[in-house]
Amino acid sequence: MMTAAILPGAPQPSVGGPATARAVCVLAPNPSPMTLDGTNTWLVSEPDSDLAVAIDPGPQDEAHLRNVLAVAERLGKRVALTLLTHGHPDHAAGAARFAELTGTNVRALDPALRLGDEGLAAGDVITTGGLELRVVPTPGHTADSLCFQLSADRAVLTGDTVLGRGTTVVAYPDGRLGDYLDSLRHLRALTADGSVETILPGHGPVLSDARGAVEYYLAHRAHRLAQVETAVEQGHTTPAQVVAHVYADVDRSLWPAAELSVRAQLDYLREHGLI
Ligand SMILES: [Zn+2]
């Protein structure tokens, strides 16, 4: 997260609890400037099924992992599968322990994160207890970032690709700006035809105007890119100099993360012959 901007669509003030007919958020106790309120662990299931899919168990925090299980139990559900949006530790570090507690496999794009035989690939449709989740590759925040489209609720689970508040980091060099812009355009296409109206993010509140949020992200990236280009033209050539110039309005504790995004932007501008 980079700024405290309020995104379009009147985000819910609170985080956690039921979000759509099929998705319930369990908030992990790891708040920080980067993780906002904490990591959103999602339990997704058909209302009449006793099987649930867990998305992003979160950090290695035994109390949180057990709380996710307790919430599932209270809902009358058993976790049958664990999915990861990407490998950052605030989403994935608890996955192995969670898999142990639930006896489930872990499916992710990155083979190193998987437990069990199955991975995830573009267009895969997860079907668990009648629930359908479509895998949408969205590289950019990281190379292994995925979204999961929950068509029945016109929703998409975005991990760190789109957050409930502010904007995300392009975690260069693993994350690439060109990929990220393509991923945002892909998400925009899903929102344009009404297939997706709600964003269920990896951090922060649910967004009820998916299209507005994705448009905001694209506009924000274009704005930052123009600022970086201008900064370089004015002689701020190192990533640290560009951060100090362009991100002067952002809390200094976020500058190290901003520097990753700046490196991604400088790389993009060079690749496109713009600087
Ligand atoms: Zn992340």
Side-chain angles (χ1 to χ4, degrees), residues 175-192:
R176 315 283 299 185
L177 182 59
D179 289 345
Y180 187 59
L181 295 174
D182 286 344
S183 294
L184 289 178
R185 290 183 194 114
H186 189 164
L187 289 175
R188 179 169 62 184
L190 294 179
T191 65

Side-chain angles (χ1 to χ4, degrees), residues 86 88 90-91 141-142 160 203:
H86 66 299
H88 279 164
D90 55 323
H91 296 256
H141 168 69
T142 59
D160 282 358
H203 303 277

Side-chain angles (χ1 to χ4, degrees), residues 31 34 48 83 88 92 104 116 151 164 168 174 199 213 229 245 253-254:
M34 286 297 290
D48 59 0
L83 305 178
H88 279 164
T104 57
S151 297
T168 198
D174 182 47
I199 286 176
E229 196 178 339
H245 187 70
S253 69
L254 294 169

Side-chain angles (χ1 to χ4, degrees), residues 9-207:
Q12 295 175 5
S14 64
V15 179
T20 65
R22 292 166 179 79
V24 173
C25 174
V26 186
L27 180 63
N30 60 337
S32 75
M34 286 297 290
T35 59
L36 306 180
D37 315 78
T39 301
N40 294 334
T41 296
W42 290 97
L43 288 169
V44 189
S45 66
E46 279 299 305
D48 59 0
S49 168
D50 61 356
L51 301 181
V53 174
I55 298 173
D56 289 350
Q60 173 72 288
D61 180 310
E62 185 76 10
H64 170 64
L65 300 176
R66 287 185 179 277
N67 187 36
V68 175
L69 284 182
V71 170
E73 220 163 273
R74 277 203 298 280
L75 296 168
K77 315 275 184 185
R78 178 174 68 79
V79 177
L81 178 64
T82 302
L83 305 178
L84 296 176
T85 59
H86 66 299
H88 279 164
D90 55 323
H91 296 256
R97 175 61 179 151
F98 188 72
E100 200 173 76
L101 290 169
T102 53
T104 57
N105 287 341
V106 177
R107 294 178 65 176
L109 183 65
D110 182 350
L113 300 169
R114 297 172 189 164
L115 288 172
D117 301 329
E118 290 181 297
L120 291 173
D124 279 0
V125 178
I126 311 292
T127 55
T128 299
L131 179 81
E132 284 193 9
L133 283 172
R134 194 166 67 86
V135 177
V136 182
T138 49
H141 168 69
T142 59
D144 71 334
S145 287
L146 300 173
C147 291
F148 299 104
Q149 189 178 351
L150 175 57
S151 297
D153 286 352
R154 295 184 186 275
V156 63
L157 296 114
T158 53
D160 282 358
T161 298
V162 178
L163 304 179
R165 264 201 314 280
T167 55
T168 198
V169 171
V170 178
Y172 186 82
D174 182 47
R176 315 283 299 185
L177 182 59
D179 289 345
Y180 187 59
L181 295 174
D182 286 344
S183 294
L184 289 178
R185 290 183 194 114
H186 189 164
L187 289 175
R188 179 169 62 184
L190 294 179
T191 65
D193 67 5
S195 317
V196 167
E197 293 172 349
T198 303
I199 286 176
L200 308 174
H203 303 277
V206 170
L207 296 170

